[in-house]
């Protein structure tokens, strides 16, 4: 597990670093908000321990900017009274918080549980095929860096294909699932939706994800 500690007090930073390293974490340290945000955005961490009172950029600002790009779990460190209440920090996108002074063992335990939680949540929230990510909670679809706008039906259709990734789904199964009625699978409604969906997710990409299985239905294949 790799974590980032953003804390300007040298003593606290190295104390945390040592503690986490003893527990076999890989640890990077940042000593101000700008450096911390830069590292958080450019490196992949399993969790971030973020102090609130930081030079150059405050912890809340770091958190707000990080959350526009990434959902890395964040544990906020706060001196008593800095954070009005738990809600403020959690609303700002923190996953947990700890009031200073704290016990090292508790900090490590909280980080561990954040990482565990995010690892459990990720597959449940997100359906992934290659560089395509559908987030079921946020209702967003991305392919690589591009955000793809889908209508409600197209979203449902893609979600269904992703859930059945690498298996062929029949036309009638799709129709039943998406329209919740059984209409003639010879109808071209499905073809119209399929064409639109494929245009949105596959056009301009060398690797196509959706494939037609002639006479049967469709399959969304993971290129990996
Ligand atoms: Ca500080």
């Amino acid at each position: 597990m790799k974590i980032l500690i953003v804390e300007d007090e040298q003593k606290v930073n190295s104390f945390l670093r040592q503690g986490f390293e003893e527990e076999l974490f890989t640890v990077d340290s940042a000593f101000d908000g700008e450096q911390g945000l830069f590292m958080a955005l450019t490196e992949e961490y399993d969790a971030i321990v973020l102090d609130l009172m930081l030079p150059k950029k405050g912890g809340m600002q770091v958190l707000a900017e990080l959350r526009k790009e990434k959902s890395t779990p964040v544990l906020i460190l706060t001196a008593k009274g800095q954070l009005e209440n738990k809600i403020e920090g959690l609303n700002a996108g923190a996953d947990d918080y700890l009031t200073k002074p704290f016990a090292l063992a508790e900090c490590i335990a909280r980080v561990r549980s954040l990482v565990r939680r995010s690892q459990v949540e990720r597959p449940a929230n997100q359906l992934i095929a290659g560089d395509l990510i559908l987030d079921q909670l946020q209702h967003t679809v991305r392919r690589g860096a591009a955000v793809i706008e889908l209508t409600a039906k197209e979203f449902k259709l893609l979600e269904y294909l992703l859930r059945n990734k690498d298996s062929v789904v029949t036309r009638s199964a799709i129709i039943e699932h998406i329209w919740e009625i059984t209409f003639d699978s010879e109808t071209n409604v499905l073809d119209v939706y399929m064409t639109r969906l494929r245009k949105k997710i596959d056009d301009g990409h060398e690797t196509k994800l959706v494939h037609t299985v002639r006479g049967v239905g469709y399959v969304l294949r993971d290129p990996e």
Side-chain angles (χ1 to χ4, degrees):
M1 276 190 280
K2 189 177 174 192
I3 63 158
L4 172 67
I5 295 170
V6 191
E7 165 63 76
D8 57 315
E9 277 171 75
Q10 298 275 351
K11 254 169 90 179
V12 181
N13 199 316
S14 61
F15 163 75
L16 282 170
R17 186 192 188 105
Q18 217 177 334
F20 275 99
E21 280 176 349
E22 274 167 21
E23 295 290 321
L24 303 178
F25 283 77
T26 304
V27 182
D28 281 350
S29 288
F31 297 90
D32 64 62
E34 270 176 18
Q35 186 194 14
L37 180 62
F38 177 78
M39 291 170 79
L41 289 175
T42 52
E43 289 278 321
E44 287 308 318
Y45 295 104
D46 295 299
I48 298 169
V49 177
L50 178 66
D51 184 32
L52 280 191
M53 296 284 277
L54 291 166
K56 292 191 182 166
K57 203 183 275 281
M60 281 302 198
Q61 188 61 31
V62 170
L63 182 59
E65 289 179 40
L66 174 70
R67 279 292 170 261
K68 288 181 197 156
E69 309 271 328
K70 282 185 165 183
S71 58
T72 317
V74 171
L75 173 71
I76 279 187
L77 296 181
T78 158
K80 234 185 184 149
Q82 253 176 28
L83 200 64
E84 283 298 302
N85 51 43
K86 191 178 170 173
I87 305 301
E88 189 188 332
L90 299 182
N91 278 347
D95 300 275
D96 199 359
Y97 82 119
L98 203 52
T99 308
K100 290 177 177 176
F102 54 85
L104 180 61
E106 176 159 27
C107 185
I108 293 170
R110 296 281 189 98
V111 167
R112 265 195 214 290
S113 106
L114 282 188
V115 173
R116 242 192 331 261
R117 229 195 294 158
S118 78
Q119 281 170 347
V120 175
E121 275 169 15
R122 215 169 289 151
N125 290 346
Q126 299 191 336
L127 299 169
I128 298 170
D131 57 355
L132 179 82
I133 301 173
L134 179 146
D135 191 309
Q136 294 173 293
L137 277 187
Q138 299 183 335
H139 247 259
T140 54
V141 177
R142 283 170 174 272
R143 181 146 189 200
V147 175
I148 300 171
E149 302 284 347
L150 296 181
T151 65
K153 280 261 188 302
E154 290 164 356
F155 186 91
K156 217 171 161 190
L157 181 55
L158 180 60
E159 194 176 26
Y160 187 65
L161 291 170
L162 278 164
R163 280 185 183 285
N164 293 283
K165 193 169 75 173
D166 294 323
S167 325
V168 177
V169 282
T170 64
R171 295 176 57 88
S172 52
I174 299 173
I175 290 168
E176 239 183 88
H177 181 82
I178 307 298
W179 284 274
E180 285 154 0
I181 47 158
T182 25
F183 53 70
D184 190 358
S185 59
E186 295 305 308
T187 176
N188 71 346
V189 176
L190 177 57
D191 304 89
V192 172
Y193 273 91
M194 261 335 221
T195 306
R196 268 192 240 157
L197 181 64
R198 292 171 87 158
K199 206 177 191 130
K200 287 184 180 178
I201 69 165
D202 275 342
D203 262 17
H205 293 272
E206 208 171 303
T207 312
K208 307 294 182 203
L209 299 173
V210 179
H211 306 271
T212 306
V213 182
R214 209 170 287 273
V216 182
Y218 299 91
V219 58
L220 190 147
R221 282 206 185 91
D222 200 323
E224 274 128 45

